[in-house]
Amino acid sequence: MDLMIQPISPIVVALAIPLLCQLVAALQSHNCTGEAGNGPLDFEYSDDGPHMVCSHGGDVQCVTGEPCCITCQASNVCDLQWYREGALINDSCPSTLSYYCDQPAVLMFDPQTSMADYVGSFACEVSNKTNTLWREFNILAIEAPPYTGPPVERVVAECSDQQAAVGDNVTFYCQFCAHEKTYELEFDWLRQIQGEEESDDEVWVPVEDLNITGTSFSSYIVLNASQGQTSADSCAGSFLMISNVTPEAFGLYKLLAVIESTLQSNETEPLLLYQAPDDVDATLVLLIAIFSSMAALLLLAILWLMFHLDIMLFLKDRFGTVEDKGQRSYDAFIAYDSSSEADRTFVLELMRPKLMEKNYHVYVKDIDTNAGTSLAEEILEAMEISLRCILVISPSFASSRLAGLQVNTAADQMWDQRTKVVPILFGDMDAQRLRKTGSDLANIASVLRCMRYREGRTDRSRFLKRLLLRMPRRARRVLVNEMLLDTTSDTARLTPEYIF
């Protein structure tokens, strides 16, 4: 059966040709490669321009002098085009004096250019592999309300007190902002001076009216409004440069800012220019440091000579080693010639009271010997139970019969390290005279450091402190008096017991 081809209606052809052209144009404009453009195409409403909210379509009101932006952010986009008044702006991102892209989907309008350059109709076209979406914008211009306030000071680090030495150069710098009236700002640097009469208050005068010999003043203005700033961000600053500072130039300064058209003004707080400390020669500083150190060392040496015994006693009593007393009842046994009045006075009136004052338990033959006992046996027993044996070596002691017994016992205990011996050369006795005796006493004195005491020639206080340094460390003891009952007798005697 033959097929008959029916003629296409002219109306169908007329409708199909525009659609086909649009399809071809759309396909030509979809620059999609790889995976780009897959998925549904839709506008997004979350992305904005830098530091501001951008419009997403319709009428857009841009304020004169303020930044403005429109956005065409969409999902799954592989191609984006911007149009103005129906004409393609650029194949990619527009870049002109009036508008530019901060990012491909955000179109920014430059607030520093005339609104006539960008007021009108804009549109964006976004495409994926299958679809195309349009968004239209109508940019309208709105005049910003005029600024009516006074200049506002902007805080800068240089707008503060400054220091300088005589002959130096120094600079003050302060800023004020007045929106679009910043360009009308006039600045005057003022200096505070005393009035003509002594009773007059201090007054402020322009620095150019000052007549300070040797010092010169100069100032200039700097506008710091840069590309992209709004009129609200624009400020102006003024430098005051003071060259060759003299003593008369030190004092208070301030900057006065006036808007020329409104005569509104503002000023900084008074700024002080003060004199810096004079530079001190490095050699002089070094010499001062050396002499100060020497003076400090000398002072320490003097203090040490004056108080070293007290310091050593303090350290010994606080941090010294406490000796194990064991079964010993006495801290010290004092051996001396009791037949010599000078020896007795030295021991009974000076040494024993001082040691007991410091809580030492001391055995002295003339006081602590019990009646009815053998003197030699009691002395030997007392020496056995003492931590120290103090030998008061005088000429009469060296020649006495009883001294030989005490010295021999002291020597035996010293060699056995049971008792520490403290020899004291008393009166006219000296080391050379003692060595001539060739006795055990001379042997003891030759291996030990002897103390020396001569009545009227020796400082008692220093001697006693040296003696205390040779004594055991004083432990904290509690003196307990209690009745010790003898199991073989009904009698009781009071005995001091020291608890360590």
Side-chain angles (χ1 to χ4, degrees):
M1 181 176 62
D2 296 333
L3 296 177
M4 297 183 62
I5 299 176
Q6 298 294 330
I8 299 175
S9 171
I11 298 176
V12 174
V13 172
L15 294 174
I17 289 176
L19 294 175
L20 182 61
C21 292
Q22 291 183 13
L23 177 60
V24 172
L27 291 174
Q28 290 177 347
S29 64
H30 295 174
N31 299 322
C32 297
T33 58
E35 297 297 324
N38 291 328
L41 179 66
D42 195 11
F43 284 114
E44 296 178 349
Y45 294 89
S46 59
D47 289 340
D48 297 324
H51 318 300
M52 68 190 72
V53 177
C54 297
S55 298
H56 295 270
D59 291 341
V60 180
Q61 296 181 343
C62 294
V63 179
T64 304
E66 302 292 340
C68 189
C69 63
I70 56 179
T71 180
C72 201
Q73 187 70 36
S75 59
N76 302 309
V77 174
C78 61
D79 190 35
L80 185 148
Q81 301 290 343
W82 285 100
Y83 296 86
R84 183 182 181 189
E85 305 296 346
L88 182 65
I89 296 176
N90 201 313
D91 290 337
S92 56
C93 179
S95 178
T96 69
L97 293 176
S98 300
Y99 36 81
Y100 59 94
C101 279
D102 180 72
Q103 48 185 299
V106 177
L107 190 64
M108 301 287 300
F109 300 108
D110 189 348
Q112 301 301 320
T113 60
S114 172
M115 278 192 156
D117 292 338
Y118 58 82
V119 169
S121 175
F122 285 79
C124 65
E125 177 190 57
V126 294
S127 305
N128 63 3
K129 290 184 177 180
T130 58
N131 296 317
T132 297
L133 294 178
W134 282 78
R135 176 178 282 177
E136 295 183 352
F137 305 85
N138 184 29
I139 308 301
L140 305 175
I142 299 177
E143 290 292 335
Y147 178 71
T148 58
V152 178
E153 182 181 1
R154 170 175 286 181
V155 177
V156 292
E158 296 83 353
C159 193
S160 59
D161 296 344
Q162 303 290 328
Q163 70 172 9
V166 174
D168 286 350
N169 301 328
V170 69
T171 301
F172 288 101
Y173 175 69
C174 299
Q175 280 189 1
F176 283 91
C177 308
H179 296 259
E180 71 275 5
K181 296 187 181 295
T182 292
Y183 300 94
E184 300 181 27
L185 287 177
E186 293 183 350
F187 293 104
D188 281 311
W189 282 98
L190 308 175
R191 161 76 192 280
Q192 188 181 64
I193 62 172
Q194 182 64 44
E196 294 182 0
E197 301 293 336
E198 292 186 1
S199 59
D200 292 344
D201 293 334
E202 293 179 335
V203 296
W204 293 91
V205 298
V207 294
E208 55 266 22
D209 294 343
L210 297 175
N211 185 17
I212 299 178
T213 303
T215 299
S216 60
F217 300 87
S218 59
S219 63
Y220 64 92
I221 299 173
V222 176
L223 291 173
N224 65 346
S226 59
Q227 182 72 18
Q229 282 187 311
T230 66
S231 60
D233 295 325
S234 61
C235 300
S238 178
F239 286 92
L240 173 63
M241 292 171 292
I242 307 175
S243 302
N244 189 30
V245 174
T246 56
E248 293 78 11
F250 294 114
L252 293 175
Y253 295 81
K254 67 180 178 181
L255 177 62
L256 174 66
V258 180
I259 300 176
E260 183 180 9
S261 60
T262 63
L263 299 182
Q264 291 174 296
S265 64
N266 196 359
E267 61 186 26
T268 65
E269 293 293 325
L271 308 172
L272 177 64
L273 175 60
Y274 60 95
Q275 186 170 3
D278 294 334
D279 292 335
V280 181
D281 184 77
T283 304
L284 180 59
V285 172
L286 180 60
L287 290 175
I288 293 174
I290 292 175
F291 282 114
S292 298
S293 301
M294 294 176 61
L297 291 175
L298 180 60
L299 178 61
L300 289 176
I302 294 174
L303 292 175
W304 175 255
L305 290 175
M306 295 175 60
F307 302 108
H308 73 282
L309 293 175
D310 301 272
I311 296 172
M312 293 172 67
L313 279 173
F314 173 82
L315 296 176
K316 170 179 165 290
D317 291 339
R318 293 298 184 274
F319 309 108
T321 302
V322 177
E323 298 180 26
D324 183 13
K325 192 171 185 179
Q327 300 299 319
R328 304 188 185 191
S329 302
Y330 296 102
D331 293 305
F333 173 90
I334 302 179
Y336 64 100
D337 181 14
S338 58
S339 64
S340 169
E341 185 64 28
D343 291 22
R344 282 173 54 85
T345 302
F346 174 63
V347 172
L348 299 181
E349 296 183 8
L350 180 63
M351 287 180 56
R352 182 177 181 272
K354 185 63 177 180
L355 293 175
M356 294 187 67
E357 177 188 328
K358 296 299 182 180
N359 296 326
Y360 286 115
H361 192 201
V362 181
Y363 182 92
V364 175
K365 179 184 63 174
D366 291 329
I367 295 177
D368 299 301
T369 302
N370 293 321
T373 61
S374 171
L375 178 60
E377 291 180 359
E378 185 164 348
I379 288 176
L380 293 177
E381 181 182 356
M383 293 181 70
E384 289 284 344
I385 59 175
S386 298
L387 290 172
R388 296 287 186 276
C389 179
I390 302 176
L391 301 177
V392 180
I393 307 172
S394 65
S396 61
F397 178 80
S399 60
S400 69
R401 182 180 58 84
L402 189 58
L405 175 64
Q406 299 177 70
V407 169
N408 291 336
T409 304
D412 292 340
Q413 293 183 1
M414 181 183 72
W415 303 133
D416 295 340
Q417 297 184 350
R418 288 179 294 166
T419 301
K420 294 181 179 180
V421 178
V422 181
I424 301 175
L425 301 179
F426 179 70
D428 295 332
M429 179 61 74
D430 55 32
Q432 184 177 3
R433 182 176 179 181
L434 184 61
R435 281 195 298 268
K436 291 180 180 180
T437 64
S439 62
D440 288 340
L441 193 59
N443 294 333
I444 292 176
S446 65
V447 297
L448 296 177
R449 181 165 52 90
C450 296
M451 298 181 63
R452 185 72 179 268
Y453 186 87
R454 292 184 179 181
E455 186 64 38
R457 298 173 62 181
T458 302
D459 187 321
R460 284 191 175 189
S461 176
R462 293 177 66 85
F463 169 80
L464 292 173
K465 289 177 182 178
R466 292 181 184 279
L467 177 62
L468 291 174
L469 286 172
R470 305 283 287 270
M471 294 295 290
R473 176 189 171 188
R474 296 193 300 274
R476 293 184 177 181
R477 300 176 292 182
V478 179
L479 180 63
V480 179
N481 291 327
E482 60 181 2
M483 299 296 291
L484 301 180
L485 298 177
D486 193 332
T487 56
T488 62
S489 174
D490 293 335
T491 62
R493 60 191 178 92
L494 192 62
T495 304
E497 291 293 332
Y498 291 91
I499 300 176
F500 287 81

